[in-house]
Amino acid sequence: DIDSPRLVLPGVGAFGDGMTELRARGFDDLVKRFADTGRPFLGICVGMQMMFDASEEMGEHEGLGLLAGRVQAVPAVGADGSPHRIPHIGWRPLERARESWEGSILADLQPRERVYFVHSFAAQPTQDGVRLAHVDYDGQSICAAVHRCNLHGCQFHPERSALPGLAMLRRFL
């Protein structure tokens, strides 16, 4: 059992490889048990994606099932049909997906603060109220952060997001 007051599930790489390693080491059940304790849990980038039911990245892969939804490719074109760069890399302003960020990891940030992204896939939550923030990528809404009870996740990289990322990590701690 994990006696830690908090758990961070980082993520770099591909969803399937991450889940394979978690399962091979027996950490998937440990992570699920921790999430059930009600203590703060944070998934970062692929770590946030693995919180969901499944991903289509490089084939079909089952996730941890902590949040309802799937991880799908970031659209290769903007809303106007023009192609844009994949992976989605760079600084984007966060936009609220809820009326308020109070009680979440984003509570100390202002809407439109810019954070740093590097990803080709993004979560598509299916449960109402889970999406906390999104970003606009050429007219396409990309899920940037999620929150439900003790579960928090961010698609962006807080460690590369300067002051907003530091504020988010402080809030989580």
Side-chain angles (χ1 to χ4, degrees):
D1 276 301
I2 297 176
D3 293 327
S4 174
R6 289 169 183 73
L7 180 67
V8 175
L9 182 60
V12 173
F15 186 105
D17 292 341
M19 286 304 305
T20 296
E21 284 300 312
L22 279 179
R23 285 190 183 98
R25 299 170 190 270
F27 291 163
D28 57 330
D29 287 333
L30 195 63
V31 167
K32 290 176 188 179
R33 286 198 323 266
F34 182 89
D36 287 343
T37 69
R39 289 178 278 169
F41 178 100
L42 173 62
I44 297 174
C45 195
V46 175
M48 178 186 103
Q49 293 175 8
M50 290 189 295
M51 294 167 65
F52 285 87
D53 293 322
S55 173
E56 65 181 32
E57 182 179 11
M58 299 168 71
E60 183 72 17
H61 300 281
E62 184 180 337
L64 293 167
L66 303 175
L67 298 172
R70 295 183 51 77
V71 176
Q72 298 175 317
V74 171
V77 297
D80 66 358
S82 299
H84 54 201
R85 183 171 51 176
I86 301 294
H88 171 222
I89 300 174
W91 294 84
R92 297 270 180 233
L94 289 175
E95 299 185 25
R96 283 191 178 133
R98 299 180 182 174
E99 191 172 313
S100 170
W101 286 341
E102 194 60 40
S104 79
I105 56 174
L106 302 181
D108 296 331
L109 276 63
Q110 296 298 313
R112 310 283 307 152
E113 290 215 53
R114 297 171 70 81
V115 293
Y116 190 79
F117 291 86
V118 179
H119 65 117
S120 299
F121 289 79
Q124 303 293 326
T126 56
Q127 197 172 19
D128 287 340
V130 168
R131 187 184 286 231
L132 181 60
H134 59 266
V135 293
D136 180 284
Y137 188 36
D138 294 338
Q140 301 283 5
S141 178
I142 307 293
C143 183
V146 295
H147 175 231
R148 190 189 81 209
C149 302
N150 62 312
L151 304 175
H152 309 270
C154 61
Q155 181 63 62
F156 59 91
H157 286 267
E159 76 282 5
R160 300 205 54 195
S161 294
L163 294 177
L166 187 57
M168 189 214 77
L169 290 172
R170 276 193 191 116
R171 180 72 174 185
F172 175 72
L173 294 173

